Amino acid sequence: MSNGLKALLAALTVTTALGTAAHAADLPVRSAPPAPIVAAVPVFTWTGFYVGVNAGYGWNTNDDDVVIPGVGTFEADDEGGFVGGGQIGYNYQIGSFVLGVETDIQYADIGGDNNFGGVLDDDDSDSWFGTVRARVGVAFDRALIYATGGLAYGEVSNGFYTSDDVSVGWTLGAGVEYAFTDNLTAKVEGLYVNLEQDDDDLPVIAGRDETEFGVVRAGLNYKFSSY
């Protein structure tokens, strides 16, 4: 083979190699697509401040037999009635346990208009009470079962007399609450309230010097986000 032919073959080989490399460089690069970025879904928590409103029914649980010396024995015309108001509170969740504090103020149409044969006339249509309570509960995701108790105060008839002074006592209860959204919750709650009346304000009557009543109410809360 002549030197000229060898040079020609070498030139063709180099040209072919360069053309193949250039063609390969023009081909699209095939690689695995990037993994999709999935945002983490926040887990619901009961932790946070909330405000709300409530409404329900209250009834006096006192013994209504009243003995007035020299006059006779009378039975007060106790009646249950509407209870409604607002509340504000804070919850803190630790695992499945929820600790909180709540205060509320309530209008209470409890006791009716009691008139003991004209001897006493007790119109307690302006009755009211409030509470400052601790709440301890167990959360099942968006459902909360809790017990509650603490301080109670207010002006509510004890069945035969309403003091003009604010009475102070205690309250105990329980309830269940459910979060329909991250911010909106609803609850059903029952309370027993005991208020001590000031003996100095009571007439000379052989009756009870405390106010006892029960309350069943439903409430709606707006929970501020804690994320």
Side-chain angles (χ1 to χ4, degrees):
M1 181 181 294
S2 65
N3 292 332
L5 182 58
K6 290 181 179 180
L8 179 60
L9 290 176
L12 289 176
T13 300
V14 173
T15 302
T16 302
L18 292 175
T20 302
H23 178 71
D26 293 336
L27 292 176
V29 177
R30 294 182 180 181
S31 59
I37 299 176
V38 179
V41 178
V43 177
F44 177 78
T45 175
W46 287 93
T47 297
F49 288 96
Y50 62 89
V51 296
V53 294
N54 68 79
Y57 183 82
W59 66 97
N60 203 306
T61 61
N62 284 329
D63 181 359
D64 296 333
D65 290 337
V66 179
V67 179
I68 303 178
V71 178
T73 301
F74 299 88
E75 182 175 347
D77 182 19
D78 271 348
E79 297 179 0
F82 172 79
V83 173
Q87 67 271 350
I88 183 171
Y90 179 80
N91 290 319
Y92 184 75
Q93 184 169 352
I94 307 172
S96 296
F97 295 96
V98 177
L99 306 176
V101 61
E102 180 177 291
T103 182
D104 64 84
I105 191 73
Q106 307 288 132
Y107 167 81
D109 185 14
I110 301 175
D113 185 4
N114 302 330
N115 190 322
F116 303 96
V119 178
L120 288 175
D121 190 359
D122 177 22
D123 184 358
D124 58 356
S125 60
D126 294 328
S127 293
W128 64 273
F129 73 94
T131 70
V132 179
R133 295 170 286 107
R135 299 205 315 171
V136 179
V138 179
F140 301 91
D141 191 18
R142 292 179 176 268
L144 175 65
I145 300 175
Y146 64 90
T148 184
L151 174 72
Y153 59 94
E155 296 180 15
V156 179
S157 171
N158 66 359
F160 63 92
Y161 188 75
T162 302
S163 171
D164 292 333
D165 297 331
V166 175
S167 301
V168 178
W170 53 273
T171 180
L172 287 175
V176 59
E177 190 167 358
Y178 185 80
F180 292 98
T181 71
D182 289 345
N183 301 105
L184 189 63
T185 73
K187 69 176 183 178
V188 176
E189 182 177 72
L191 293 177
Y192 168 80
V193 183
N194 185 299
L195 299 178
E196 294 289 338
Q197 295 279 9
D198 186 351
D199 292 338
D200 295 336
D201 289 336
L202 295 177
V204 182
I205 296 176
R208 300 174 65 92
D209 61 352
E210 61 186 21
T211 299
E212 302 174 38
F213 57 94
V215 174
V216 174
R217 61 190 180 183
L220 190 66
N221 289 326
Y222 179 84
K223 173 181 169 297
F224 296 96
S225 297
S226 58
Y227 302 126

